[in-house]
Amino acid sequence: MPRPTAAQLAYGSATVVVSTIAMLLLSQTSTGIGVAVIAAAALALGLLVALTVPIPRRRGRHAAARGAGRGAGRGAAQGEPAAGGDASRVPGHRTASADHPVHH
């Protein structure tokens, strides 16, 4: 199971806190069982919200390479092959610096 993102933790925690306070104020309960039921409902709601937060897609050089291959035939008219044909799918010459990028 992947680790939760910061957005998932923030939205889930905020949902638990706000929904617990709102339900306690609206129900005006003072019994231990009532508070326990409200706390359990708030935790379930917070978990639901945290799981439904959209997970961001990874953006890196692999995603950029995939995106470049999709638009190869956009300039051509319908029914015509892309200008490069199958040659557009063959990678160009790579240098040593392209194989090992430096990240700062």
Side-chain angles (χ1 to χ4, degrees), residues 61 94-101:
R61 63 183 176 145
R94 299 181 87 185
T95 62
S97 62
D99 290 336
H100 303 287

Side-chain angles (χ1 to χ4, degrees), residues 31-100:
T31 64
I33 294 174
V35 172
V37 168
I38 288 174
L43 284 173
L45 185 62
L47 183 62
L48 179 70
V49 167
L51 291 177
T52 57
V53 171
I55 299 173
R57 304 266 186 236
R58 281 188 69 189
R59 298 185 122 198
R61 63 183 176 145
H62 296 295
R66 273 186 258 126
R70 290 183 189 149
R74 287 188 180 162
Q78 285 186 346
E80 294 179 17
D86 286 336
S88 65
R89 301 176 104 194
V90 177
H93 177 70
R94 299 181 87 185
T95 62
S97 62
D99 290 336
H100 303 287

